[in-house]
Amino acid sequence: MAERFEMLPAQDATLLRVQTQDAPLNIGGVCILEGAPLRDESGALRLDALRRHVLVQLEHTPRFRQVLQALPLGQGLGWFDDERFDVTRHVRSATVPDPGGKAELRQLVARLLEEPLDPTHPMWELWLIDGMPDDRVGLVFKVSHVLADGMAVVDVAMRMLDFQPRDHDAEPSAWSPTSSPAPVPLLVRGVAERVRRAWDGAWEAGTWLLDPRVAASALVGVARLATSGTGLAPALPITQPVGSRRDMAWTRLAWADVIEVKRAASVTVNDVVLTVVAGALSRYLGRSGISPEGRAPRVLVPVSIHGDTPGEVANRFSMVVTNLPMGPADPLERLQEVHADMERHKLSAATSAWSSLFSLVDLAPPWLLSTAGPAILRRQPFVNLAVTNLPGSPVPLYLLGARLLEMYPFIGVTGNLGAIIGVLSYEDALGLSITVDADVISDVDALLDDCKHALQELVDSIASTDT
């Protein structure tokens, strides 16, 4: 058999080292589907059919059959085929307790979020959920962020789905894992790869710093983030070191409302989403009499930099840190502030400098990053929460003939980010979810309601300006 391995890229290695057992960096989604097509004649879930369908799809996604292993003499980690791969470990079923409503489903989802993925096997799980009312079936997809980012996970999920209701009876092809290189060649290739990456990182960082325009823009951005008063996040109760307990709440926002605001204000969908979060957070904190003390809460916004490579399963993202204005009483003024701030970031080179920073971080010894990384994240003073916005499908999707009715993303909380908000468009709605540490935010439903209220405020403001 051919020998093959791929070293863990710098960005992925950083994500691996900074996570902890209590706060694993997992991402994924919660879906609600029609139940009948996913059941056999006896009414049982067609778990074996789903496993066969997944195996067929994995022929195009080899990373999902690979596991991380250490290279000799501490030369990093590499992706190798899992010789013990068994799809039954990854595609499983569970049943929500009676009466099987949304509350019971949330409890099950929270339990799945709390469980870390086994790093000795490919780090992903797909759960088919029974016991829901109205002949509905749930599906929970959980993937380690080390394996892929949100856009890649959405892409993998979309390839499993159809645009028309149809069943799948194709049998998966026989699969044989490739063998690992012998220790000495593996060591040589590992050392060579680390030298190449160190050189590339130094060259990239040098190019970045030697370009006066890029350097000036990036340094301004870094200075704003790390040293200036406005670059520090205010002390808020949602920004606390996270533990092991999770909760997740979700709702649907009308796509027509979001588009109405977007077009009327000449902004982006992402601007609308961030303004909804700003309005919700202002309302949420205001009920407790908490003020950001004149400083706007700061939000981390991942930005996909995936190219046109089809089926790419990897982390290809940069990040923007922007302000969430609390001050303007007029929601449309708040929207314009968000839009202006995001436009400034688009013109800044600071965003593109993240890849260089990841390359430089990769030069640190793994033991140092594993020791210091989690502690730094638990005390970072720059960001209060994270918001990610992903494009889905505007038309109905189907799994083994079952129509996908609802879809919500989740992103595991980590460090001292006690809340992470995910948004995914599907059909006529935005699926909005809030994943929290249940000990940091015990009333996540209230924050979810505040998001719905904030969007309605924007819609009402648009309507009032048209009259």
Side-chain angles (χ1 to χ4, degrees):
M1 291 183 291
E3 295 182 348
R4 182 185 68 203
F5 91 99
E6 180 183 343
M7 280 195 68
L8 188 67
Q11 194 166 17
D12 303 1
T14 301
L15 294 173
L16 176 68
R17 300 299 183 187
V18 300
Q19 67 180 332
T20 64
Q21 188 76 3
D22 281 348
L25 287 170
N26 296 328
I27 60 178
V30 175
C31 302
I32 310 296
L33 300 107
E34 293 177 330
L38 295 173
R39 301 186 187 280
D40 59 23
E41 295 178 354
S42 69
L45 292 177
R46 299 172 57 208
L47 190 59
D48 288 339
L50 180 59
R51 286 169 174 164
R52 287 194 301 271
H53 182 53
V54 168
L55 285 173
V56 171
Q57 300 307 311
L58 291 189
E59 295 173 15
H60 311 289
T61 316
R63 178 69 80 238
F64 277 67
R65 281 198 274 214
Q66 292 183 321
V67 66
L68 285 174
Q69 295 180 11
L71 276 64
L73 300 182
Q75 293 305 308
L77 296 168
W79 290 109
F80 298 83
D81 285 348
D82 181 11
E83 298 179 359
R84 302 173 299 160
F85 179 80
D86 181 357
V87 71
T88 63
R89 290 186 56 91
H90 300 274
V91 182
R92 304 163 69 178
S93 65
T95 302
V96 296
D98 291 335
K102 187 173 181 179
E104 288 75 26
L105 177 60
R106 274 181 58 178
Q107 292 173 6
L108 176 58
V109 170
R111 179 172 63 82
L112 293 177
L113 292 178
E114 291 167 0
E115 289 293 326
L117 292 162
D118 185 350
T120 65
H121 294 277
M123 293 182 289
W124 63 274
E125 293 175 349
L126 184 64
W127 291 84
L128 207 54
I129 310 299
D130 206 354
M132 297 173 58
D134 303 322
D135 196 23
R136 299 291 189 253
V137 168
L139 186 142
V140 178
F141 192 26
K142 183 170 74 169
V143 181
S144 172
H145 207 329
V146 177
L147 192 146
D149 60 20
M151 278 301 303
V153 170
V154 169
D155 185 52
V156 169
M158 292 298 179
R159 291 201 305 274
M160 288 183 56
L161 301 168
D162 300 305
F163 292 108
Q164 299 293 332
R166 68 186 185 94
D167 209 343
H168 290 266
D169 54 9
E171 291 293 330
S173 303
W175 177 76
S176 297
T178 57
S179 59
S180 300
V184 173
L186 186 59
L187 174 62
V188 172
R189 290 163 65 179
V191 171
E193 177 66 13
R194 285 193 63 83
V195 170
R196 183 194 66 79
R197 281 164 47 174
W199 173 257
D200 287 349
W203 178 265
E204 184 177 1
T207 302
W208 167 53
L209 291 173
L210 290 173
D211 187 322
R213 293 170 300 173
V214 174
S217 179
L219 289 173
V220 168
V222 172
R224 286 182 60 198
L225 175 65
T227 61
S228 70
T230 58
L232 297 178
L236 297 178
I238 64 171
T239 311
Q240 302 287 339
V242 303
S244 60
R245 293 184 63 235
R246 297 290 174 266
D247 195 5
M248 176 183 172
W250 56 83
T251 191
R252 299 180 50 159
L253 302 179
W255 179 248
D257 288 345
V258 174
I259 292 300
E260 179 184 0
V261 174
K262 168 190 178 298
R263 291 174 177 169
S266 299
V267 297
T268 68
V269 169
N270 198 53
D271 294 335
V272 178
V273 169
L274 291 175
T275 306
V276 165
V277 174
L281 195 58
S282 178
R283 184 179 176 88
Y284 178 82
L285 295 173
R287 282 196 301 273
S288 301
I290 298 172
S291 169
E293 301 173 358
R295 287 181 291 158
R298 294 174 63 79
V299 60
L300 179 71
V301 184
V303 178
S304 174
I305 53 175
H306 279 272
D308 297 326
T309 304
E312 182 181 45
V313 178
N315 281 289
R316 298 282 187 270
F317 68 93
S318 185
M319 290 176 280
V320 164
V321 177
T322 190
N323 297 322
L324 293 180
M326 300 284 102
D330 183 353
L332 294 182
E333 290 184 25
R334 183 178 293 156
L335 175 60
Q336 291 302 329
E337 284 196 25
V338 169
H339 174 69
D341 203 28
M342 291 300 292
E343 287 297 305
R344 283 193 294 270
H345 284 294
K346 291 178 183 178
L347 299 175
S348 170
T351 301
S352 62
W354 283 102
S355 58
S356 298
L357 295 179
F358 277 117
S359 298
L360 293 175
V361 169
D362 189 48
L363 299 179
W367 64 266
L368 179 60
L369 190 57
S370 297
T371 302
I376 292 173
L377 278 186
R378 288 172 64 85
R379 294 171 175 81
Q380 64 80 27
F382 306 121
V383 179
N384 294 109
L385 76 161
V387 177
T388 183
N389 179 21
L390 300 168
S393 171
V395 298
L397 298 172
Y398 300 83
L399 175 65
L400 299 179
R403 182 166 177 165
L404 176 60
L405 303 174
E406 303 173 34
M407 182 163 51
Y408 307 97
F410 68 74
I411 305 92
V413 294
T414 191
N416 62 353
L417 302 183
I420 296 184
I421 298 176
V423 176
L424 178 64
S425 60
Y426 177 59
E427 287 200 87
D428 59 351
L430 284 182
L432 183 146
S433 68
I434 308 178
T435 308
V436 301
D437 180 306
D439 292 319
V440 174
I441 298 179
S442 60
D443 54 349
V444 62
D445 290 288
L447 183 56
L448 194 71
D449 288 339
D450 292 333
C451 289
K452 293 187 286 187
H453 180 86
L455 177 58
Q456 189 59 51
E457 280 187 330
L458 285 168
V459 173
D460 293 343
S461 295
I462 292 294
S464 67
T465 60
D466 293 336
T467 58

